[in-house]
Each structure stands twice: as C-alpha cells, then as structure tokens.
Amino acid sequence: MAEVTLKEIGVLSCVVVLCYWNSLFCGFVFDDVSAILDNKDLHPATPLKKLFQNDFWGTPMSEERSHKSYRPITVLTFRLNYLFSELNAVSYHLLNLLLHAVVCVIFLKVCRLFLDKRTSLIAALLFAVHPIHTEAVTGVVGRAELLSSIFLLAAFLSYTKSKGPDNSIAWTPIAAAVFLVAVATLCKEQGITVVGICCVYEVFIAQGYTLPMLWDTSVQILLGKGSIPYSLLQTLLKLIVLMFSTLLLVVIRVQVIQSQLPVFTRFDNPAAVSATPARQLTFNYLLPVNAWLLLNPSELCCDWTMGTIPLVESFLDVRNLATLLFFFFLGSLVIYSVRYPGDSSKTVLMGLCLMALPFIPASNLFFPVGFVVAERVLYVPSMGFCILVAHGWKKLSSKSRLRKLSWIFLALVLFTHGVKTFNRNWDWESEYTLFMSALKVNKNNAKLWNNVGHALENEKNYAKALRFFNQATRVQPDDIGAHMNVGRTYKNLNRSKEAEESYLIAKSLMPQVIPGKRYAARVAPNHLNVYINLANLIRANESRLEEADQLYRQAISMRPDFKQAYISRGELLLKMNKPLEAKEAYLRALELDGMNADLWYNLAIVYIELKDPNEALRNFNQALELNRRHKLALFNSALLMQESGNSKLRPEAKKRLLTYVEEEPHDANGYFNLGMLAMDEKKDLEAEKWMKKAIQLQHGFRSALFNLALLYSQTARELDALPVLEELLRYYPDHIKGLILKGDILMNQKKDTKGAKKCFEKILEMDPTNVQGKHNLCVVYFEERDLLRAERCLVETLALAPHEEYIQRHLSIVRSKIMSQNTAGQTTPPAGQENDSKGKKKTPFEKLQEEKDIPKMNTPTKRKNKEQVKTKSQQERNTNKEAKQKSTKEIKDIENKRVAALKRLEEMERILSGELADEHLSD
C-alpha cells in the first residue's frame, strides 16, 4: 500500500474547500434545530454523564418517546463547539468541513489497498465532490456520519495489519480495530457494520479464497479426505474474535436502549406499517431508488417521508422491474467478485462490501427506521460506489480507443458534481430555502409543505404560512400535525374560532384508546400536543377553564409520562387559584424529568402563591444548580431575596441580577432592580447609575423615573429631581406620588406655592379621597397664611382619615396659631397682603419666615406602608419682640399667652421631628 503524499492531501483538501466553503454561511436547519438549538446536553451546566444517558436529541433513553439513537461522542463534539462559540453556526459547519476532508484522506488510504495510485486518487476525488454528501457535510447533524466514517475506516485499516510477516496473527491491530469499532458505533450505529467488511476482507482478500475454493475445501473436510488448512484455522479464529466482539457490542447497545425499539408512525415510514406484500415490495424497491441517487444525484430532497415515494402495493406495479434489474446487476457483481480470483474481482468485492454492508441498518430489512430515504445514510455506501466507478473508469481508460473519452467523461463528472454540490449547499442556508428546494423535487410530501410553513411562521409571516399549512392538509388529509399547524396559525392571526375548528379536526383523527394496547405504538408523541394546544386556546375564556383541564387530564390518561401536559395543567391550576393541585402537577412532572430547570422554576412560582418564600427560594436555587444562567430564576430569586429584607442575602441577590443583565443586557428591569438594591444598601451613586441605565433602555420607565427622583430628593438634590419628575409626568400625568413629590419640592425648594398648589389640586381632581394630596394642599393654604381655609381643609382631611394622628396634630397646630393670633388681637389678612412695620407689603415667603411652628408637608417615600412628614429646611425660630408700643399689662398678658403657646407647639414639633425616617417607596 503506497503512502498518501502531502501533495495528494493538499489536492483533496483544496477540492473539499472549493466545494463546501459556502456551507460556512448556512445556519441551523431541519434536524439541527432539535440536535443543536433545543438540546440541553450541549450546555456546560448539563453534567457530562447525561450525554451517555440521553439519545442524540437530548431525550433520556429510558423514555418511550426517545429516538433510541445513541451517539454520545457526536454530541460531545457539539458540546465542544458550544463551549467555544455557543450557537454560532460557523464553527459547527467549519468542523464538518474539516472532518469531511479527513474522511477523504483516510478513504484515499483505503483505496490504495485495492487500486493503483492514480485510480485511488480519482475514487477519493469522486467521493469528495459527490452531491449526495451535502446533507451529511452541510447539515450539522450529519457529523454523526463523518465521525463514524473516520473510525470505521480507521478500524478497517487497523484490521488489515492483523496478518504478521510469517502469516501469524497480530493481535494488537485486531484489538485496536475492535476498540475503533466501538468508538465508531458511539458516533453512529452503522459503525458496527465495519466488522462485516473486515470478515469479507479476511476471507477473500487476506487469505485469497474464492467461493469455489471454499466449497471444495468444505467438501473435502466433510468427506474426511483432508484436514482443515492452518490458514483457514487462523481465519476462523479471527472471525470468532470479531463475531464475539460484535455480539458484545450488540448486547451493550440493546441494554442501552432498554430492549425497546423507537416508535415510528405511518407518517414517518408508511411501508413499515403496511401489510404484506406492500411492505416487502416497497422496501425492496427503495434499494434501486438509493442506487439511482448515487448514480444520478440531480434531484435531491432533504425529506423523503410520507407520500414522497408511493407504496408498491402490487406485483403488477411497473416499478418492480427496477427492483428486478437492480438485484440482477448486483447479483452479477457479487458472483463475479467471489467466484474469480484476481485483483479486479477483489476490488469489486470490497467496493460492494463498502456499499452494501453499511447500508443494512437503514434498509428496513431487519428493523424499521424513521425515514423512507435519507441521503446522509448514503455517505459510507458512496465510498464503495466511488471505488466501483473508479475501477470501471480504469478499465475504460486502458483501452486506447476510449482513453480520451474516459478522461473527458471523468472531468465532466468531477466538474458537474462539484458545481452541483456547491449550489446544493445554498439550499441549506435557511429552513425556507431548504424546504422550498425540496418542494421543487417532490410536491406530494405534506411534511415539506408543513416545514415551509414553519419557516414562514418563524418570520412572523402567518398569512403566507397558513397557505402552506392548508396545502399540507390537502396533500395528506389525515395528517394530524398539518391540522395542528393550521390551528396554531389561526390562533396567531387572532382567529380563535377557526383555530378551535382545526384543532378539533386534528383531535378527531387521533386513534382511540384501546384497553390493553399501548397508545404510544399508534401515534407520534408530538401529536398529543393537539390536546395541549386546544386546551391552551379555550382556557383564554374564563368560563371554559374546567373544559381545558379535562383536555389536559385526557392527554395524561393517554400517556402518563406526557410531561408537557403536567406543566400546562400546573399553569392552568394556578390560574384557577388551585396552587396545591398545581404543586402536585409540577411534582409529577419532576418525577419524569428532575433535571429540568424550568420545572423547578415553575414549582418555585407555585410556592410564592402558597406564601412560602423559603421553599420558593429553595426551588429557584435548584433551577439555578441545573442551569446557572436560567434567566427567569436569576431575576425572580433576586427579587425574592431583596423583598425578604435580609441584608445577608443582598450580595447574592446583586450577583444574580448582574448575571441576569449579562444574559439580558437590553432588559431595563434588571438594571432597575439593581438600582433598588443599591438604594436599600444606601449606595446612592451606584443606585443613580443603575436607574439611569434602566431609563436609557426604556424611555418612560415609570418606576425607575420615580425612584430616581425620590433618590435625588432623599440625598438633598431636590432640584435634580425636578426634571426627572417632569419626564415622569409627561409620560404619566396621573402619577399621584410623582405629583406629591413635585409639589413638595416646588414648595420647599423653589418656593413656588402656586406650582405646588396645582400639583395637589390635580391629585384631588383624580382622587378626591386621596389623604396625602388633601393634607399637603392644606399645608399650602397654611403657607399662604389662609389659616381658616387650612383649618377647614384639615378638618375635611381628618374626616377621610380619622385615625391618622399626624393630621390631628397639624390641625391642632393650625388652631393654636389661629388662637394665638386672635388672642394677640391680630387678624389674618389674605395671602400676600400682610404689611411690615413700615407699611410695606410682605410676600408669603417673608411672612412665613417669621413663624415658629408650621405644619409639615406629607411626601411620598419608597415604602407604601408608612407615611412620612418632612420639615421645611427654611424654618427659623422667631425671637423678635413686638414692634408696637403697648401698655405694660397688655404686653405682659400677650407674652404669657405666647410663651404658653410656644411651649405647646415646641412639644408638638419635637414629637413630629422624632418620627422622621429615611425609608423607600416601591412604585
């Protein structure tokens, strides 16, 4: 076997890059969505052991709905991609491209066993550019084929070295081959078929036997005319080791799937559930169909299920001729390869082995599979096909008359296949382009119409999606999924009546429950979602909640392991104010999937409804243990910690909120709650930063604007609070607390009595019974020196809140002031009309500066449950004596009364001042 040169590696690599570089611009489509986007096994938070407990799609192997495809090594490579680039599709496609180049190089090395240097390179080039490989290389899930092929070929190459120089057995290469077979099988199930290839190689290539030779030897041994040759004993020993190893791998594989085959329906593989002879005739007809795709890959389709290939139901069907012709041609090649000695027959034999044996798991001959035809499963069989084509080309080119024509034909095939592969890659750019390209090939597959509809649905183009879903129902009237899609689209278009009708049609197509017969064997698990979707639709009507609950329970009765039914029912029970029953539903779902972070989160919400914050927090923490970046659990658990009032929990709450804003950098709520947390910790500058960030992201953020203004007010920056309040009231002109705070600042800082008065009067226009606004308007009257009006106002306020002591005290202050003035023989002129000792009119502000005790404004604070009284910063004590000359007796009487009044008011002021607290108010 000639070594592969660097030049040949470079040529193959360049050809692969030229054909597949545009695959780097493709996204995740078709099966990639389930295997990559929806597969939690890729996330670093998922324990590695889960990769060896779940199937290829992340479903536990123990569940009946599992696909039973066990490929942990392939999923591990996806996880490595996720580790480096998360869901950036470029890295996934790049790795697939590199793996295909590696397969081409190893395949070239295998070809060297049977072909000359030039012919083997041609076979490798044909393999590199064949359009049938697009699904395996450009489709990310095709990596299972690529990885399995690498280890399959490596195992075969290792086994070819099992014959020692003196015809002895070299056990190390055999052991390495067995190990590589196991690894190939963990990449994809077809890897185990290399054992059959090794057996054929051992008998017909390594030992050089032909079928006549084996027959003659067997006859001689049976007749007792000869002994078993030593070489044959060695061969038998090797085969026994290979067979035993294979049997062991099969036993382990059966244990992994727990002796259960996956459940497929007639929509996945119609022939698998058909009666005899339709099943046998159709399965045999699929063999020439696959062979034709290798020979003429002009019309490729990503999905060949459902009605793509109609059943062959009769012996008179003309398609049976294709089956007979295929078996005749295949049989002729097999007879030629095993009957005659020589290099040519050996090459044909190995080409047939590589083409036929790896295809057996997908052939439906031993067990049904979930597809009719799948182009990606032809990846390894195409190797044998390329060997046969290259060998045939060699035969033609050896004849002088056909040499030029053979070269022209070869160049034309390589060029057209390369161009076809390059163009085919663009079909995999998006789901829409992929399924539209498939519809050009096959219009009888309802699944394709559905998938185009799904692609349009993802783009929110519901009206156009509805046309494709309706077409799917016309192509396959009994397709439950198509009617469900129609119903869901009608719902998205807010056409609830039509949506319900479509769901009811889908429900009527569901097979009835038969006692003693497994329901899952006759319906796809996702079709049970018709009960969930219908229930979700009708529960929007409050009068139909019980009807919705009945649908959830019906789905559960059909499949007790239907996790989504428990989840949806739990949500409904919460809506029905039945938290205890909701808890039971979620606990049952957790029994089915205890590693589901969303379920733990939902259970935490239930405990919040049950007023059990400690248990709620415990469940939030459990969700975060399973998924440390679970956004809703991060956010709500942080709020729960913050609301607990436990200062020890604040650092963890802050840590979770910071993680949340990393995950959701454009969600203003995260920054707002960081600001609230900073306010609780008295970190004013940090709180200001977070509040401003929240307002920047969400203009008119009501709570952030108010609390930022409140923060400024509490930190003696009242003038900075005014523009914030103006913005708040521009968006929310009826924001009562904002109006109260603005009025307070206008009164105490700007001395704008009129402005403050407008604020409080507007509050009372919206809510005449608002005690806080009414009280502060009374204070405005007091500031305007209209004491009688202030008294009447406070009396009215006290009637609204007779148990509020601060209103009573303030009313007492006003009445004392009125009494003091009356006692002194003073009258209260209208506001703004008082004169000083020189006869000059005084402003209300100047007059108020002479007063010793004034009722204080009632301003909003951060917490709603406690009112606060705020003193005036400009309040001063009046120590001046009366300017007017009076008699000694009058002065003495006045002074005695004034001293008594001042003592009483000072005591009130002391009590009021002692109640001041720096608290917050949640808006």
Side-chain angles (χ1 to χ4, degrees), residues 628-666:
R628 61 185 180 86
R629 304 188 82 83
H630 191 288
K631 291 181 284 191
L632 290 175
L634 285 167
F635 183 79
N636 286 286
S637 64
L639 291 188
L640 201 59
M641 291 176 176
Q642 185 177 356
E643 291 172 1
S644 71
N646 188 345
S647 59
K648 295 180 180 179
L649 294 177
R650 287 175 186 167
E652 179 62 23
K654 181 177 181 180
K655 179 182 176 182
R656 293 186 182 187
L657 285 173
L658 288 172
T659 305
Y660 175 77
V661 297
E662 288 178 10
E663 293 292 308
E664 291 288 343
H666 302 296

Side-chain angles (χ1 to χ4, degrees), residues 782 787 791 809-823 853 897 900-902 904-905 908:
F782 186 92
L787 297 182
E791 180 188 21
R809 290 199 302 269
H810 291 176
L811 179 59
S812 176
I813 292 172
V814 172
R815 285 175 172 171
S816 297
K817 181 62 64 177
I818 293 173
M819 181 183 68
S820 175
Q821 291 180 348
N822 289 338
T823 301
D853 299 291
K897 293 178 181 178
L902 286 177
R904 187 166 59 253
L905 291 177
M908 291 181 182

Side-chain angles (χ1 to χ4, degrees), residues 159-160 164 178-179 212 257 275 332 497 508 529 595 677 748 797 831 840 847 917 920:
Y159 185 81
T160 60
V178 171
F179 172 75
I257 66 174
S332 300
K497 183 179 179 181
S508 68
N529 285 323
M595 302 303 293
L677 195 62
N748 292 323
T797 307
K840 183 180 178 181
K847 184 65 178 175
H920 301 303

Side-chain angles (χ1 to χ4, degrees), residues 600 603-604 607 613-623 640:
W600 289 103
L603 188 58
Y607 279 112
N614 293 330
E615 191 64 23
L617 186 57
R618 189 185 71 81
N619 284 277
F620 279 137
N621 292 339
Q622 183 66 38
L640 201 59

Side-chain angles (χ1 to χ4, degrees), residues 411-589:
L412 186 63
V413 168
L414 288 173
F415 177 76
T416 55
H417 276 37
V419 171
K420 172 67 176 178
T421 298
F422 183 84
N423 290 331
R424 175 66 172 156
N425 290 333
W426 289 123
D427 291 341
W428 292 78
E429 183 178 11
S430 67
E431 293 209 322
Y432 180 78
T433 57
L434 178 64
F435 298 124
M436 284 301 292
S437 69
L439 281 177
K440 295 176 184 177
V441 176
N442 172 33
K443 291 181 171 58
N444 296 320
N445 187 338
K447 190 174 179 180
L448 294 176
W449 293 99
N450 281 320
N451 285 333
V452 174
H454 286 309
L456 293 167
E457 188 180 33
N458 292 334
E459 297 173 0
K460 310 299 182 184
N461 192 346
Y462 299 121
K464 191 173 180 181
L466 182 61
R467 295 200 295 270
F468 282 88
F469 289 142
N470 278 324
Q471 181 61 28
T473 63
R474 288 189 284 269
V475 171
Q476 188 89 31
D478 60 348
D479 182 7
I480 298 172
H483 290 286
M484 290 170 61
N485 293 334
V486 172
R488 186 181 62 257
T489 309
Y490 275 131
K491 181 182 178 183
N492 289 329
L493 290 170
N494 296 318
R495 296 166 64 178
S496 299
K497 183 179 179 181
E498 293 94 333
E500 184 172 350
E501 291 173 356
S502 297
Y503 284 141
L504 288 173
I505 293 173
K507 182 173 175 286
S508 68
L509 294 170
M510 297 285 285
Q512 298 301 309
V513 176
I514 301 175
K517 188 173 183 180
R518 284 195 312 157
Y519 188 79
R522 297 174 293 113
V523 67
N526 62 313
H527 285 171
L528 279 173
N529 285 323
V530 66
Y531 294 96
I532 307 299
N533 294 346
L534 181 57
N536 291 345
L537 177 68
I538 66 177
R539 80 184 202 184
N541 186 338
E542 295 289 339
S543 65
R544 302 180 70 184
L545 297 183
E546 289 292 343
E547 185 180 347
D549 189 36
Q550 177 62 31
L551 287 167
Y552 291 137
R553 284 186 276 128
Q554 187 175 355
I556 291 170
S557 68
M558 291 178 173
R559 285 188 71 99
D561 64 342
F562 192 13
K563 179 180 64 179
Q564 187 56 48
Y566 292 105
I567 296 173
S568 298
R569 185 165 186 252
E571 295 170 356
L572 176 66
L573 290 169
L574 275 179
K575 185 176 182 180
M576 297 171 70
N577 197 26
K578 297 180 179 179
L580 288 175
E581 293 182 41
K583 183 179 78 169
E584 293 301 320
Y586 285 129
L587 288 174
R588 181 70 181 94

Side-chain angles (χ1 to χ4, degrees), residues 29 88 119 134 209 225 320 397 442 592 627 683 818 827:
V29 297
N88 183 357
T119 310
T134 309
Y209 287 108
K225 295 181 180 180
N320 290 319
S397 63
N442 172 33
L592 299 170
N627 180 5
K683 296 179 179 179
I818 293 173
T827 59

Side-chain angles (χ1 to χ4, degrees), residues 28-51:
F28 295 115
V29 297
F30 203 17
D31 289 339
D32 298 346
V33 176
S34 299
I36 308 297
L37 300 183
D38 299 337
N39 193 347
K40 295 180 180 178
D41 286 349
L42 273 61
H43 300 168
T46 304
L48 276 175
K49 66 178 181 180
K50 285 296 178 182
L51 274 64

